[in-house]
Amino acid sequence: QKLHDHYIGQINQALENKPLDAVLLARVFGRAGMVRSGSAALEGDAQGMKRGPRGALAPADHVENAIAFGSGHVRSTAKDLMALLGALETGALLDEAHLGKLTTPVKGEYGHGLVSGKIAGKEVRWHNGAIDGYSAFFGYAPSERIALVYLGNVQEFDATRAGMAALEMALTGNAVASPPERDVAPTDADLGKKLAGDYVLDKATRAELEKQLPKPVLESIAGFTLAFEEGTLSGKPSGQGTFAMLQSPEKSFFSPSLGVEIRPELDKTGKVVGFSLEQGPVRARYVRGKLPKAPKKK
């Protein structure tokens, strides 16, 4: 979904030959009556937060719009998102044919902008978001005229899981059992210390990802720093924020909310020489190396 949104942002800007903000204001925000939506922070906006190694909250690392683009470019409010839904339902933004493309799955359950599925036999449409300390979920059941918006400012909260559970309870009137949690093992301090350091994509991985990812996205993950502090392993892609990871019984490390999992690679002497990473459709291998220089801000 994130890659799809990123490309949509690039296509919009290319077709209009205008900044994405201007395109969105003219084509979406203004027509839908969305008055507090855009890429710039406004007075009164909540600060995006993350949890440190011991669970304490701290401001999350900022992610540049150039990296996120259409995949994390927009700030909004619950009221504005409900205005967006109203504009879609009344045809103020899209005619029936184009609305159908927005909601008709083309890959799995994902259409041209929304995920479509069913809960208790009723159609639901939704999308999520998570970036620099924020998490979000927006879903609705058109036949029941039930909509739900969650906007939060704690990076680790799984807004999608909570949002889908809330929709299911609203549609069925029944409580939803808590989903099973993944097993967590005590952190191996020796392994954590061995993992700490800077890494870069290996040549084969980089060559493959260059075919799949827009350049700003690739640059944002070209380097990766692992740190072991206060008994917790944390990771930081070169152009993104820092996040803490838990250890599995299989000695991999993972972030439940971000869906990131890394598996250490050790040589015959027990030295960590790299790791493999999985997140959604992305598969990457990292090796020890000097972090790439940060791209210059335009």
Side-chain angles (χ1 to χ4, degrees), residues 14 34 58 100 103 139 145 185 206 243 260 275 295 298:
M34 301 168 71
T103 57
R145 298 192 59 77
R206 187 177 181 95
F243 57 90
V260 174
F275 63 88
K298 295 182 180 181

Coordinates of all heavy atoms in Angstrom, one line a residue, residues 14 34 58 100 103 139 145 185 206 243 260 275 295 298:
A14 N 3.3 14.9 -11.5 CA 3.8 15.0 -12.9 C 2.8 15.4 -13.9 O 3.0 16.2 -14.8 CB 4.4 13.6 -13.3
M34 N -12.4 20.3 3.4 CA -11.4 19.9 4.4 C -10.5 21.1 4.7 O -9.7 21.5 3.9 CB -10.6 18.7 3.9 CG -11.5 17.5 3.5 SD -10.7 16.2 2.5 CE -9.5 15.5 3.8
A58 N 8.8 9.7 23.9 CA 9.7 10.8 23.5 C 9.2 11.2 22.1 O 8.6 10.4 21.4 CB 11.1 10.3 23.5
G100 N -15.9 3.7 -8.4 CA -15.8 2.2 -8.5 C -14.4 1.8 -8.6 O -14.0 0.8 -8.0
T103 N -12.5 1.8 -5.3 CA -12.9 0.7 -4.3 C -12.9 -0.7 -4.8 O -13.1 -1.6 -4.1 CB -14.3 1.0 -3.7 OG1 -15.3 1.1 -4.8 CG2 -14.4 2.4 -3.0
G139 N -12.1 3.7 8.3 CA -12.9 2.6 7.7 C -14.4 2.9 7.7 O -14.8 3.6 8.6
R145 N -23.9 2.5 6.7 CA -23.6 3.9 7.0 C -22.9 4.0 8.4 O -23.3 4.9 9.2 CB -24.9 4.8 7.0 CG -25.5 4.8 5.6 CD -26.6 5.9 5.4 NE -26.0 7.2 5.7 CZ -25.3 7.9 4.8 NH1 -25.0 7.4 3.7 NH2 -24.9 9.1 5.1
A185 N 10.9 -13.4 23.5 CA 11.9 -14.0 24.4 C 12.7 -12.9 25.1 O 12.7 -11.8 24.6 CB 12.8 -14.9 23.5
R206 N 20.5 -4.0 -3.5 CA 20.3 -2.7 -4.0 C 19.9 -2.7 -5.4 O 19.0 -2.0 -5.9 CB 21.6 -1.8 -3.8 CG 21.4 -0.4 -4.1 CD 22.6 0.5 -3.9 NE 22.2 1.9 -4.3 CZ 21.8 2.8 -3.4 NH1 21.6 2.5 -2.1 NH2 21.5 4.0 -3.8
F243 N 13.1 3.0 15.8 CA 12.0 2.1 16.5 C 12.7 1.0 17.2 O 13.7 0.5 16.9 CB 11.1 1.6 15.4 CG 11.7 0.8 14.3 CD1 11.9 -0.6 14.4 CD2 12.2 1.4 13.2 CE1 12.5 -1.3 13.4 CE2 12.8 0.7 12.1 CZ 12.9 -0.7 12.3
V260 N 8.2 -5.0 10.9 CA 9.6 -5.2 10.5 C 10.2 -6.4 11.2 O 10.0 -6.5 12.4 CB 10.5 -3.9 10.8 CG1 11.9 -4.2 10.5 CG2 10.0 -2.7 10.0
F275 N 22.5 -8.8 8.3 CA 21.2 -9.3 8.6 C 20.2 -9.2 7.4 O 20.5 -8.4 6.5 CB 20.6 -8.5 9.8 CG 20.3 -7.0 9.6 CD1 19.1 -6.6 9.1 CD2 21.3 -6.1 9.9 CE1 18.9 -5.3 8.9 CE2 21.1 -4.7 9.7 CZ 19.9 -4.3 9.2
P295 N 20.7 12.7 1.5 CA 20.5 13.5 0.3 C 20.3 15.0 0.7 O 19.7 15.3 1.8 CB 19.2 12.9 -0.2 CG 18.6 12.2 0.9 CD 19.7 11.7 1.8
K298 N 16.1 20.0 -0.9 CA 15.8 20.9 -2.0 C 15.2 22.1 -1.5 O 14.4 22.1 -0.6 CB 15.0 20.2 -3.1 CG 15.7 19.0 -3.7 CD 14.8 18.4 -4.8 CE 15.5 17.2 -5.4 NZ 14.6 16.6 -6.5

